[in-house]
Amino acid sequence: MKFRPLHDRVVIRRAERDLKSKGGIIIPDTAKEKPQEGEVIAVGPGSRDESGKLMALDVKAGDHILFGKWSCTEVRIDGEDLLVMKEADIMVAVEKDGADAKKAA
């Protein structure tokens, strides 16, 4: 199914967390806290200001972001759990530089 967010809304895929704690304890699904980070999947065209001018969003598809705990609506699209929120609810866009990419590899 094709979809596109309207106005200043953003669709996000939540990041997956490790199944083990740092100490090596396996955490069951019922005790896990959902991560507050994810990847932007799709963005709307933007919102309009008082004069009617379209203001584009600062985030784009592919950006990694951090968001508030209660700032989104969970939806299921094509069997995948996604989040929909307004751009104003996004707190941080995470930028990965070359040093971070080398550490992850």
Side-chain angles (χ1 to χ4, degrees), residues 12-102:
I12 296 161
R13 179 181 297 123
R14 192 183 297 263
E16 295 295 324
R17 285 281 190 203
D18 293 334
L19 298 175
K20 290 185 181 180
S21 69
K22 289 182 181 180
I25 299 171
I26 297 175
I27 303 169
D29 288 338
T30 56
K32 283 195 295 188
E33 187 170 318
K34 293 183 179 179
Q36 296 171 304
E37 59 186 279
E39 178 185 0
V40 176
I41 302 301
V43 297
S47 59
R48 298 203 178 266
D49 62 7
E50 292 84 22
S51 65
K53 181 180 176 187
L54 186 65
M55 298 174 57
L57 302 182
D58 289 330
V59 295
K60 62 187 178 308
D63 285 352
H64 292 275
I65 59 157
L66 302 177
F67 52 89
K69 190 177 243 181
W70 309 108
S71 61
C72 56
T73 301
E74 295 182 8
V75 296
R76 184 177 276 278
I77 300 174
D78 289 340
E80 183 178 15
D81 291 326
L82 299 173
L83 307 171
V84 178
M85 69 180 66
K86 289 190 170 213
E87 185 191 35
D89 294 330
I90 296 173
M91 296 187 292
V92 176
V94 180
E95 296 180 12
K96 292 188 178 188
D97 60 357
D100 288 339
K102 289 178 184 176

